[in-house]
Amino acid sequence: MARSTPHRIRCADGFELHATLHTPEGPVRGAVLVHPATAMPANMYFAFAARLADDGFAVVTYNYRGVHPSGVARRTRAGFLTWADEDVGAVTGWAAERYPGLPLLAVGHSFGGHAIGLSASSQRLTAAVMVATQAGSLRFIRCLRERLLVRMYLKLIGPLCARFLGYMPYARLGLGEDVPARAALEWSRWASLPRFYFDDPGVDAAARFRRLSMPVLSIGLDDDAWGPPESIDLVCEHLTGCAVERRQFSPADSAGQGICHLGFFREHHAATLWPTVVEWLRRHAPARG
């Protein structure tokens, strides 16, 4: 059985992140960082972390600043680049110091995968997995109804709430946890760009991605209305220094159960979808002795 202990991880700017370390009973074969999707709390990934810990990995789950606990979004000035530069950097450094000499790996979900590409600290990784990490431009959403719905949230409700409330109340809308205003406004702006933030000169995302050199497994989901294969591939194209392996899963790969953008880490996919990721991580962190 995995053991889970809470921790506070201090960032370079003094902000403290809420994190949980999931450790195996026996020897540790490697450390895995789980970078969450936008507005998703860390506890969504606890079952997946426990599965990795059962396989000998030490796993760090955490919340981006301003996302959880509830009520902090309105008091936090943070955007996506803050999360990638400050939060991911702190978590990566903390794990590297705690497990020196062991493989350091990461699993990023949606923006969590983007964070791997954007953060300079990811140069310390041995390998990484990106799940449903798509270029979030609205033009990639094929379903007209879904595109109009997402446009309403990103281009109308999000900016209005960010400016008048000081945060985006996703929790009230049943869409996850609240998000700081800066992140909501950045997402709104990037969604209109053909190549997402790769078209924003202020991000310089292509140069950030070029810094990385490691194996990457990028997973797309056939029933993900927000991330068709071409949007996943656009992100992968910028991992020019990495050996990228692409996989696509459909509900048929999980006994007909839907996956969608946020479903990969739900426990009912543990026996069908998770083994691909677990085995891939094992391959890049072989057990010692």
PDB file of all heavy atoms in Angstrom, residues 42-63:
ATOM      1  N   ALA A  42      -5.512  18.526  -7.128  1.00  0.00           N
ATOM      2  CA  ALA A  42      -4.548  17.428  -7.082  1.00  0.00           C
ATOM      3  C   ALA A  42      -5.188  16.098  -6.727  1.00  0.00           C
ATOM      4  O   ALA A  42      -4.744  15.042  -7.198  1.00  0.00           O
ATOM      5  CB  ALA A  42      -3.450  17.763  -6.081  1.00  0.00           C
ATOM      6  N   ASN A  43      -6.243  16.120  -5.900  1.00  0.00           N
ATOM      7  CA  ASN A  43      -6.817  14.841  -5.471  1.00  0.00           C
ATOM      8  C   ASN A  43      -7.454  14.055  -6.615  1.00  0.00           C
ATOM      9  O   ASN A  43      -7.733  12.864  -6.476  1.00  0.00           O
ATOM     10  CB  ASN A  43      -7.805  15.033  -4.321  1.00  0.00           C
ATOM     11  CG  ASN A  43      -8.957  15.950  -4.669  1.00  0.00           C
ATOM     12  OD1 ASN A  43      -9.233  16.225  -5.839  1.00  0.00           O
ATOM     13  ND2 ASN A  43      -9.640  16.447  -3.647  1.00  0.00           N
ATOM     14  N   MET A  44      -7.677  14.681  -7.759  1.00  0.00           N
ATOM     15  CA  MET A  44      -8.170  13.969  -8.922  1.00  0.00           C
ATOM     16  C   MET A  44      -7.170  12.908  -9.386  1.00  0.00           C
ATOM     17  O   MET A  44      -7.540  11.915 -10.023  1.00  0.00           O
ATOM     18  CB  MET A  44      -8.447  14.959 -10.054  1.00  0.00           C
ATOM     19  CG  MET A  44      -8.840  14.340 -11.382  1.00  0.00           C
ATOM     20  SD  MET A  44      -9.203  15.622 -12.607  1.00  0.00           S
ATOM     21  CE  MET A  44      -9.249  14.649 -14.109  1.00  0.00           C
ATOM     22  N   TYR A  45      -5.894  13.099  -9.046  1.00  0.00           N
ATOM     23  CA  TYR A  45      -4.833  12.218  -9.512  1.00  0.00           C
ATOM     24  C   TYR A  45      -4.330  11.258  -8.430  1.00  0.00           C
ATOM     25  O   TYR A  45      -3.362  10.537  -8.654  1.00  0.00           O
ATOM     26  CB  TYR A  45      -3.670  13.062 -10.044  1.00  0.00           C
ATOM     27  CG  TYR A  45      -4.096  14.051 -11.095  1.00  0.00           C
ATOM     28  CD1 TYR A  45      -4.425  15.364 -10.753  1.00  0.00           C
ATOM     29  CD2 TYR A  45      -4.228  13.684 -12.433  1.00  0.00           C
ATOM     30  CE1 TYR A  45      -4.848  16.277 -11.705  1.00  0.00           C
ATOM     31  CE2 TYR A  45      -4.648  14.580 -13.397  1.00  0.00           C
ATOM     32  CZ  TYR A  45      -4.962  15.879 -13.021  1.00  0.00           C
ATOM     33  OH  TYR A  45      -5.395  16.777 -13.970  1.00  0.00           O
ATOM     34  N   PHE A  46      -4.986  11.236  -7.275  1.00  0.00           N
ATOM     35  CA  PHE A  46      -4.499  10.415  -6.170  1.00  0.00           C
ATOM     36  C   PHE A  46      -4.533   8.922  -6.497  1.00  0.00           C
ATOM     37  O   PHE A  46      -3.608   8.183  -6.149  1.00  0.00           O
ATOM     38  CB  PHE A  46      -5.313  10.689  -4.903  1.00  0.00           C
ATOM     39  CG  PHE A  46      -4.899  11.928  -4.154  1.00  0.00           C
ATOM     40  CD1 PHE A  46      -3.989  12.823  -4.681  1.00  0.00           C
ATOM     41  CD2 PHE A  46      -5.435  12.210  -2.900  1.00  0.00           C
ATOM     42  CE1 PHE A  46      -3.608  13.978  -4.002  1.00  0.00           C
ATOM     43  CE2 PHE A  46      -5.063  13.340  -2.208  1.00  0.00           C
ATOM     44  CZ  PHE A  46      -4.143  14.230  -2.752  1.00  0.00           C
ATOM     45  N   ALA A  47      -5.597   8.448  -7.134  1.00  0.00           N
ATOM     46  CA  ALA A  47      -5.689   7.014  -7.451  1.00  0.00           C
ATOM     47  C   ALA A  47      -4.578   6.615  -8.425  1.00  0.00           C
ATOM     48  O   ALA A  47      -3.959   5.554  -8.275  1.00  0.00           O
ATOM     49  CB  ALA A  47      -7.062   6.684  -8.028  1.00  0.00           C
ATOM     50  N   PHE A  48      -4.326   7.472  -9.414  1.00  0.00           N
ATOM     51  CA  PHE A  48      -3.254   7.208 -10.372  1.00  0.00           C
ATOM     52  C   PHE A  48      -1.903   7.217  -9.662  1.00  0.00           C
ATOM     53  O   PHE A  48      -1.047   6.358  -9.927  1.00  0.00           O
ATOM     54  CB  PHE A  48      -3.293   8.257 -11.475  1.00  0.00           C
ATOM     55  CG  PHE A  48      -2.200   8.131 -12.498  1.00  0.00           C
ATOM     56  CD1 PHE A  48      -2.220   7.107 -13.436  1.00  0.00           C
ATOM     57  CD2 PHE A  48      -1.153   9.035 -12.531  1.00  0.00           C
ATOM     58  CE1 PHE A  48      -1.206   6.987 -14.385  1.00  0.00           C
ATOM     59  CE2 PHE A  48      -0.143   8.922 -13.471  1.00  0.00           C
ATOM     60  CZ  PHE A  48      -0.173   7.899 -14.403  1.00  0.00           C
ATOM     61  N   ALA A  49      -1.705   8.164  -8.750  1.00  0.00           N
ATOM     62  CA  ALA A  49      -0.454   8.236  -7.997  1.00  0.00           C
ATOM     63  C   ALA A  49      -0.257   6.982  -7.155  1.00  0.00           C
ATOM     64  O   ALA A  49       0.860   6.456  -7.054  1.00  0.00           O
ATOM     65  CB  ALA A  49      -0.449   9.480  -7.115  1.00  0.00           C
ATOM     66  N   ALA A  50      -1.339   6.484  -6.548  1.00  0.00           N
ATOM     67  CA  ALA A  50      -1.242   5.264  -5.747  1.00  0.00           C
ATOM     68  C   ALA A  50      -0.845   4.076  -6.608  1.00  0.00           C
ATOM     69  O   ALA A  50      -0.067   3.206  -6.186  1.00  0.00           O
ATOM     70  CB  ALA A  50      -2.571   5.000  -5.043  1.00  0.00           C
ATOM     71  N   ARG A  51      -1.376   4.039  -7.839  1.00  0.00           N
ATOM     72  CA  ARG A  51      -1.015   2.944  -8.752  1.00  0.00           C
ATOM     73  C   ARG A  51       0.477   2.995  -9.087  1.00  0.00           C
ATOM     74  O   ARG A  51       1.152   1.951  -9.117  1.00  0.00           O
ATOM     75  CB  ARG A  51      -1.843   3.059 -10.034  1.00  0.00           C
ATOM     76  CG  ARG A  51      -1.435   2.110 -11.147  1.00  0.00           C
ATOM     77  CD  ARG A  51      -1.672   0.655 -10.770  1.00  0.00           C
ATOM     78  NE  ARG A  51      -1.222  -0.257 -11.821  1.00  0.00           N
ATOM     79  CZ  ARG A  51       0.034  -0.678 -11.970  1.00  0.00           C
ATOM     80  NH1 ARG A  51       0.967  -0.277 -11.125  1.00  0.00           N
ATOM     81  NH2 ARG A  51       0.342  -1.514 -12.943  1.00  0.00           N
ATOM     82  N   LEU A  52       1.005   4.183  -9.337  1.00  0.00           N
ATOM     83  CA  LEU A  52       2.430   4.310  -9.619  1.00  0.00           C
ATOM     84  C   LEU A  52       3.275   3.957  -8.391  1.00  0.00           C
ATOM     85  O   LEU A  52       4.327   3.330  -8.508  1.00  0.00           O
ATOM     86  CB  LEU A  52       2.755   5.728 -10.077  1.00  0.00           C
ATOM     87  CG  LEU A  52       2.237   6.153 -11.455  1.00  0.00           C
ATOM     88  CD1 LEU A  52       2.627   7.598 -11.736  1.00  0.00           C
ATOM     89  CD2 LEU A  52       2.773   5.249 -12.551  1.00  0.00           C
ATOM     90  N   ALA A  53       2.803   4.375  -7.213  1.00  0.00           N
ATOM     91  CA  ALA A  53       3.539   4.058  -5.987  1.00  0.00           C
ATOM     92  C   ALA A  53       3.583   2.552  -5.751  1.00  0.00           C
ATOM     93  O   ALA A  53       4.592   2.011  -5.290  1.00  0.00           O
ATOM     94  CB  ALA A  53       2.900   4.768  -4.794  1.00  0.00           C
ATOM     95  N   ASP A  54       2.503   1.867  -6.081  1.00  0.00           N
ATOM     96  CA  ASP A  54       2.495   0.404  -5.957  1.00  0.00           C
ATOM     97  C   ASP A  54       3.539  -0.232  -6.858  1.00  0.00           C
ATOM     98  O   ASP A  54       3.980  -1.363  -6.616  1.00  0.00           O
ATOM     99  CB  ASP A  54       1.113  -0.153  -6.308  1.00  0.00           C
ATOM    100  CG  ASP A  54       0.077   0.122  -5.229  1.00  0.00           C
ATOM    101  OD1 ASP A  54       0.488   0.441  -4.099  1.00  0.00           O
ATOM    102  OD2 ASP A  54      -1.124   0.027  -5.525  1.00  0.00           O
ATOM    103  N   ASP A  55       3.951   0.471  -7.898  1.00  0.00           N
ATOM    104  CA  ASP A  55       4.953  -0.032  -8.829  1.00  0.00           C
ATOM    105  C   ASP A  55       6.356   0.456  -8.478  1.00  0.00           C
ATOM    106  O   ASP A  55       7.288   0.267  -9.268  1.00  0.00           O
ATOM    107  CB  ASP A  55       4.603   0.399 -10.259  1.00  0.00           C
ATOM    108  CG  ASP A  55       5.061  -0.612 -11.292  1.00  0.00           C
ATOM    109  OD1 ASP A  55       4.529  -1.736 -11.300  1.00  0.00           O
ATOM    110  OD2 ASP A  55       5.967  -0.281 -12.077  1.00  0.00           O
ATOM    111  N   GLY A  56       6.495   1.116  -7.342  1.00  0.00           N
ATOM    112  CA  GLY A  56       7.816   1.511  -6.876  1.00  0.00           C
ATOM    113  C   GLY A  56       8.200   2.957  -7.103  1.00  0.00           C
ATOM    114  O   GLY A  56       9.326   3.352  -6.803  1.00  0.00           O
ATOM    115  N   PHE A  57       7.285   3.769  -7.603  1.00  0.00           N
ATOM    116  CA  PHE A  57       7.589   5.176  -7.838  1.00  0.00           C
ATOM    117  C   PHE A  57       7.176   6.036  -6.640  1.00  0.00           C
ATOM    118  O   PHE A  57       6.154   5.768  -5.999  1.00  0.00           O
ATOM    119  CB  PHE A  57       6.849   5.690  -9.072  1.00  0.00           C
ATOM    120  CG  PHE A  57       7.344   5.133 -10.377  1.00  0.00           C
ATOM    121  CD1 PHE A  57       6.681   4.093 -11.005  1.00  0.00           C
ATOM    122  CD2 PHE A  57       8.490   5.652 -10.972  1.00  0.00           C
ATOM    123  CE1 PHE A  57       7.134   3.568 -12.205  1.00  0.00           C
ATOM    124  CE2 PHE A  57       8.955   5.137 -12.183  1.00  0.00           C
ATOM    125  CZ  PHE A  57       8.281   4.095 -12.793  1.00  0.00           C
ATOM    126  N   ALA A  58       7.968   7.060  -6.367  1.00  0.00           N
ATOM    127  CA  ALA A  58       7.542   8.130  -5.468  1.00  0.00           C
ATOM    128  C   ALA A  58       6.857   9.176  -6.338  1.00  0.00           C
ATOM    129  O   ALA A  58       7.423   9.595  -7.353  1.00  0.00           O
ATOM    130  CB  ALA A  58       8.738   8.737  -4.742  1.00  0.00           C
ATOM    131  N   VAL A  59       5.659   9.597  -5.975  1.00  0.00           N
ATOM    132  CA  VAL A  59       4.854  10.452  -6.844  1.00  0.00           C
ATOM    133  C   VAL A  59       4.478  11.730  -6.101  1.00  0.00           C
ATOM    134  O   VAL A  59       4.008  11.685  -4.950  1.00  0.00           O
ATOM    135  CB  VAL A  59       3.572   9.722  -7.299  1.00  0.00           C
ATOM    136  CG1 VAL A  59       2.809  10.574  -8.312  1.00  0.00           C
ATOM    137  CG2 VAL A  59       3.913   8.361  -7.896  1.00  0.00           C
ATOM    138  N   VAL A  60       4.658  12.867  -6.767  1.00  0.00           N
ATOM    139  CA  VAL A  60       4.289  14.159  -6.199  1.00  0.00           C
ATOM    140  C   VAL A  60       3.056  14.690  -6.929  1.00  0.00           C
ATOM    141  O   VAL A  60       3.080  14.867  -8.155  1.00  0.00           O
ATOM    142  CB  VAL A  60       5.433  15.183  -6.326  1.00  0.00           C
ATOM    143  CG1 VAL A  60       5.043  16.496  -5.635  1.00  0.00           C
ATOM    144  CG2 VAL A  60       6.726  14.632  -5.744  1.00  0.00           C
ATOM    145  N   THR A  61       1.978  14.898  -6.188  1.00  0.00           N
ATOM    146  CA  THR A  61       0.809  15.594  -6.720  1.00  0.00           C
ATOM    147  C   THR A  61       0.706  16.935  -6.005  1.00  0.00           C
ATOM    148  O   THR A  61       1.101  17.056  -4.844  1.00  0.00           O
ATOM    149  CB  THR A  61      -0.479  14.779  -6.491  1.00  0.00           C
ATOM    150  OG1 THR A  61      -0.618  14.483  -5.091  1.00  0.00           O
ATOM    151  CG2 THR A  61      -0.455  13.473  -7.275  1.00  0.00           C
ATOM    152  N   TYR A  62       0.178  17.938  -6.699  1.00  0.00           N
ATOM    153  CA  TYR A  62       0.127  19.275  -6.091  1.00  0.00           C
ATOM    154  C   TYR A  62      -0.906  20.129  -6.802  1.00  0.00           C
ATOM    155  O   TYR A  62      -1.411  19.772  -7.872  1.00  0.00           O
ATOM    156  CB  TYR A  62       1.503  19.945  -6.159  1.00  0.00           C
ATOM    157  CG  TYR A  62       1.925  20.329  -7.561  1.00  0.00           C
ATOM    158  CD1 TYR A  62       1.840  21.648  -8.005  1.00  0.00           C
ATOM    159  CD2 TYR A  62       2.396  19.372  -8.459  1.00  0.00           C
ATOM    160  CE1 TYR A  62       2.210  22.002  -9.295  1.00  0.00           C
ATOM    161  CE2 TYR A  62       2.776  19.716  -9.735  1.00  0.00           C
ATOM    162  CZ  TYR A  62       2.677  21.025 -10.158  1.00  0.00           C
ATOM    163  OH  TYR A  62       3.040  21.373 -11.433  1.00  0.00           O
ATOM    164  N   ASN A  63      -1.222  21.265  -6.201  1.00  0.00           N
ATOM    165  CA  ASN A  63      -2.131  22.246  -6.790  1.00  0.00           C
ATOM    166  C   ASN A  63      -1.339  23.464  -7.250  1.00  0.00           C
ATOM    167  O   ASN A  63      -0.471  23.954  -6.526  1.00  0.00           O
ATOM    168  CB  ASN A  63      -3.168  22.704  -5.759  1.00  0.00           C
ATOM    169  CG  ASN A  63      -4.062  21.572  -5.300  1.00  0.00           C
ATOM    170  OD1 ASN A  63      -4.742  20.952  -6.091  1.00  0.00           O
ATOM    171  ND2 ASN A  63      -4.049  21.302  -4.001  1.00  0.00           N
TER     172      ASN A  63
END
